[in-house]
Amino acid sequence: MAALEGVAASPGLGIGTVMVIAEPCLAYEVVEVADAEAEKGRLHSAIEAFSVLTREKAEVVRGRVGDAEAAILEGHVLMISDPFMVAEMDNLIDAGQCAEAALDTVCETFAAMFEAADDDLTRQRAADVRDIKSGVLCQLLGVREVDVSRVPRGTVLVTHDLVPSMTAGLDRDNVVGIVTETGGMTSHSAILARALEIPAVLAVPDAVQELPEGAQVIVDGGEGVVTVAPDEAELAAARVRQEALRREKEALQRFVGKKTVTADGCQVELFGNIGSVEDARAVVDNDGEGVGLFRTEFLFMDGGAMPTEEDQFRAYQQAALIMKGRPIIIRTLDIGGDKDIPYLGLEKEDNPFMGFRAIRYCLAREDVFRTQLRALLRASAFGDVRIMVPLVTGVEELRQVRALIRRYADEFSREGVACNKDVPVGVMIETPAAALMADALAAEADFFSIGTNDLTGYTMAVDRGNDRVRYLYSTFNPAVLRSIRSVIAAGTEAGIPVGMCGEAAADPLLIPLWISFGLTEYSVGPASILATRAAIAGWNHEKARALAAAVMEAVTPDEVLDLLKAASA
Ligand code: PEP
Ligand code: MG
């Protein structure tokens, strides 16, 4: 039936009944206060009751989710206990305001102050202050907060925004899906949903209006789609997929803690692709051996302003610390094409995928690039950080990046700031030009990572957004496979590691080809890590090479697909 689309924020498939969480009515009457002492007493009791309730919620969250998530709520208690904040409210009450108005005024002043900050983390605190204000107002007005810990089994929560206090008691046995109208990949709601492994689709326009209370829906958190009032066939298909997902997940647990090896004992590296610091935790939770691609553009997309050097440094440093010395490949800003960031003021182009994007933009905007490279260099002192350059078309781009890195590293060494001046610098191979020049690039790059998503599009000269030609977009096309084979050969010949971070790295049909070509590193979505380890374990080199020999004789994508399917059956 009807399908709504949003941000695929937490993977999995949930089938359930919509429960719309309306915001509680917190309107209050502004009255003149005669007895200021009594009114202050009323406010302090409300703050105390709120603090007790919030600490209780934090304990529930600690048990169900984890320490980091509990800390968000504990932070609320600390914030509202701030003597300066309470004194400000008391002063307003002394001046004749009622407790509700004093609370409102002071919280809104703090929220506005946080909103004006130029770092992302401080800006986020504005939402926290407003959440605290609602919690204390509920106590003052005697309004019961929405209690999501007692919803019936099979509930899909639909709300404008899922604030931390609302998610506190959230029970993954009862809540099978979350749909919100706001939030992005790094919003609190997304972080919590992923931590609880509840499928979530965020930023669905008008979700509260479009999804009526009691309606049945399928929440596909992997695809970012909500199917409303599914018919019997859609429900049956979803149940089959759900069961298949469950069984697959269960069976994959035996690969936890294992090395990633082919059936004949050849070890490769298996990394995860991330778009935020929180995703780095998901890589660790899914037993990834490192990060093969940190898409930093998400840090730039989440806020309304450019993240400062400090914002970026903290994000890269935290991700590096979470990886605890394991490799973390951070890609420099890859915007343009389908990824627009309004405040960067990119002009409309007739052909954005061929236009001013990725490394082309960064080399032209040294101010933006300098901020990022400096943040990356500083983070390199906290782990095995490696820098990767997107959309490279030739060695001169790599040389320019290296020159900038050298310059900033020299600045840091003069200033006494710690950084790894020999930070490895690699290139993404995702243009035909880079693939054809792979031998020259391999002589100057520390590593390669093949971006099959773009390499397929550019090799086939296909705009994926164009329905008329989408049929040509296939990594199974022999042209793309030949390109990948020669890139891996060039990297191997030069003795540098060659990885793959496009979607094709996790495709079980293609994995025997990658094994036979000699790929040394696979980087996949965190949820695909164990499945990829299992797929790699299923092939030995002899079998993989025999299949690759036949496949590379094929001249159409259908022939390739038929051979690969037959071999995996
Ligand atoms: C790719 O192009 O394969 C890739 C991994 O980069 P992105 O999908 O971010 O363009
Ligand atoms: Mg790409």
Side-chain angles (χ1 to χ4, degrees):
M1 293 278 93
L4 307 179
E5 288 184 18
V7 173
S10 177
L13 203 70
I15 306 171
T17 310
V18 169
M19 176 182 277
V20 177
I21 311 269
E23 318 248 324
C25 174
L26 296 176
Y28 59 88
E29 212 180 321
V30 180
V31 287
E32 274 281 322
V33 168
D35 184 350
E37 288 312 311
E39 193 66 0
K40 281 190 264 182
R42 201 164 76 82
L43 174 69
H44 297 173
S45 307
I47 291 175
E48 182 51 29
F50 165 80
S51 301
V52 169
L53 194 71
T54 307
R55 273 197 215 97
E56 280 170 17
K57 283 182 188 170
E59 280 321 302
V60 176
V61 170
R62 192 184 316 286
R64 284 191 187 159
V65 195
D67 286 341
E69 290 73 14
I72 298 175
L73 292 171
E74 281 163 349
H76 286 188
V77 177
L78 279 180
M79 221 190 260
I80 194 63
S81 324
D82 181 294
F84 177 72
M85 212 168 167
V86 179
E88 288 284 289
M89 294 179 208
D90 286 351
N91 288 343
L92 292 176
I93 295 175
D94 283 334
Q97 285 199 13
C98 63
E100 288 85 350
L103 171 79
D104 203 350
T105 311
V106 172
C107 287
E108 282 307 316
T109 310
F110 273 77
M113 200 170 72
F114 288 139
E115 264 166 357
D118 57 2
D119 77 287
D120 215 25
L121 277 177
T122 310
R123 277 197 302 273
Q124 281 227 10
R125 296 182 68 194
D128 287 314
V129 182
R130 295 211 166 95
D131 198 9
I132 294 167
K133 182 183 87 174
S134 305
V136 181
L137 269 178
C138 280
Q139 297 296 331
L140 282 169
L141 298 169
V143 173
R144 263 195 51 221
E145 274 190 272
V146 192
D147 183 1
V148 289
S149 66
R150 284 182 236 284
V151 298
R153 281 183 97 84
T155 293
V156 171
L157 292 181
V158 177
T159 175
H160 176 66
D161 189 12
L162 198 68
V163 291
S165 61
M166 222 189 253
T167 30
L170 220 148
D171 186 345
R172 76 175 105 181
D173 291 337
N174 292 349
V175 179
V176 296
I178 294 169
V179 183
T180 68
E181 293 180 337
T182 61
M185 282 300 285
T186 60
S187 61
H188 278 153
S189 33
I191 294 167
L192 281 161
R194 280 198 294 272
L196 287 162
E197 293 186 34
I198 297 176
V201 181
L202 307 188
V204 176
D206 303 320
V208 170
Q209 207 179 313
E210 299 286 334
L211 297 170
E213 180 85 18
Q216 195 172 37
V217 291
I218 302 172
V219 180
D220 187 338
E223 294 295 323
V225 175
V226 184
T227 308
V228 192
D231 58 29
E232 272 312 312
E234 284 169 322
L235 273 176
R239 287 201 189 99
V240 169
R241 267 190 58 212
Q242 232 179 6
E243 180 55 20
L245 286 173
R246 198 191 57 76
R247 277 173 201 243
E248 275 169 27
K249 206 172 154 195
E250 214 172 74
L252 289 172
Q253 288 310 304
R254 70 193 170 90
F255 288 95
V256 173
K258 301 275 162 48
K259 292 193 169 120
T260 305
V261 280
T262 58
D264 52 337
C266 177
Q267 191 174 345
V268 292
E269 291 177 300
L270 179 54
F271 295 167
N273 292 345
I274 66 172
S276 67
V277 173
E278 285 306 317
D279 289 351
R281 282 187 233 284
V283 171
V284 173
D285 291 348
N286 285 283
D287 206 29
E289 299 155 23
V291 167
L293 167 65
F294 185 163
R295 290 184 164 102
T296 59
E297 49 280 6
F298 289 110
L299 299 178
F300 288 69
M301 283 174 177
D302 253 10
M306 192 162 98
T308 61
E309 182 183 315
E310 203 53 34
D311 290 339
Q312 291 189 55
F313 162 64
R314 255 185 273 136
Y316 307 147
Q317 179 208 36
Q318 274 183 44
L321 290 175
I322 290 168
M323 294 321 293
K324 293 202 172 100
R326 282 170 281 195
I328 166 163
I329 299 176
I330 309 184
R331 178 173 75 182
T332 58
L333 183 60
D334 184 4
I335 38 115
D338 57 347
K339 299 170 195 152
D340 186 24
I341 300 178
Y343 62 79
L344 289 179
L346 290 171
E347 280 170 24
K348 279 255 164 297
E349 296 178 323
D350 285 343
N351 211 339
F353 280 94
M354 304 282 181
F356 189 47
R357 54 170 297 203
I359 190 58
R360 303 165 184 189
Y361 173 88
C362 287
L363 288 173
R365 284 290 307 268
E366 210 192 309
D367 54 332
V368 175
F369 206 23
R370 180 174 189 271
T371 307
Q372 180 167 44
L373 290 178
R374 281 174 57 96
L376 286 170
L377 275 167
R378 283 170 61 193
S380 71
F382 294 87
D384 184 358
V385 171
R386 306 173 188 180
I387 296 176
M388 180 157 76
V389 190
L391 208 79
V392 165
T393 52
V395 289
E396 62 283 40
E397 287 161 336
L398 175 60
R399 286 178 189 162
Q400 286 181 65
V401 176
R402 278 204 188 278
L404 290 172
I405 291 175
R406 252 194 319 271
R407 189 196 307 164
Y408 305 140
D410 285 347
E411 282 174 15
F412 281 140
S413 84
R414 279 196 299 277
E415 292 163 18
V417 177
C419 76
N420 174 11
K421 68 175 182 27
D422 297 318
V423 60
V425 182
V427 296
M428 282 194 77
I429 305 291
E430 49 184 352
T431 65
L436 289 165
M437 293 303 288
D439 55 343
L441 283 163
E444 301 192 26
D446 292 313
F447 61 90
F448 280 170
S449 186
I450 306 175
T452 52
N453 306 342
D454 275 320
L455 186 62
T456 303
Y458 289 123
T459 301
M460 298 308 301
V462 164
D463 172 359
R464 266 186 284 174
N466 184 336
D467 283 342
R468 301 285 303 268
V469 294
R470 196 176 304 164
Y471 70 97
L472 283 170
Y473 181 92
S474 167
T475 307
F476 295 94
N477 193 293
V480 182
L481 296 178
R482 287 183 191 195
S483 178
I484 293 171
R485 181 177 59 176
S486 73
V487 169
I488 298 174
T492 309
E493 172 80 22
I496 60 167
V498 183
M500 181 182 287
C501 58
E503 295 304 307
D507 190 326
L509 286 179
L510 289 165
I511 280 173
L513 297 187
W514 311 153
I515 290 172
S516 77
F517 295 166
L519 194 76
T520 53
E521 176 243 303
Y522 297 68
S523 193
V524 303
S528 303
I529 289 173
L530 290 177
T532 305
R533 185 171 291 153
I536 292 169
W539 289 92
N540 65 44
H541 278 77
E542 197 187 324
K543 242 174 64 187
R545 280 196 198 111
L547 176 60
V551 166
M552 296 312 282
E553 289 292 312
V555 291
T556 70
D558 284 348
E559 286 170 26
V560 169
L561 205 52
D562 287 348
L563 284 165
L564 292 178
K565 279 187 178 158
S568 79

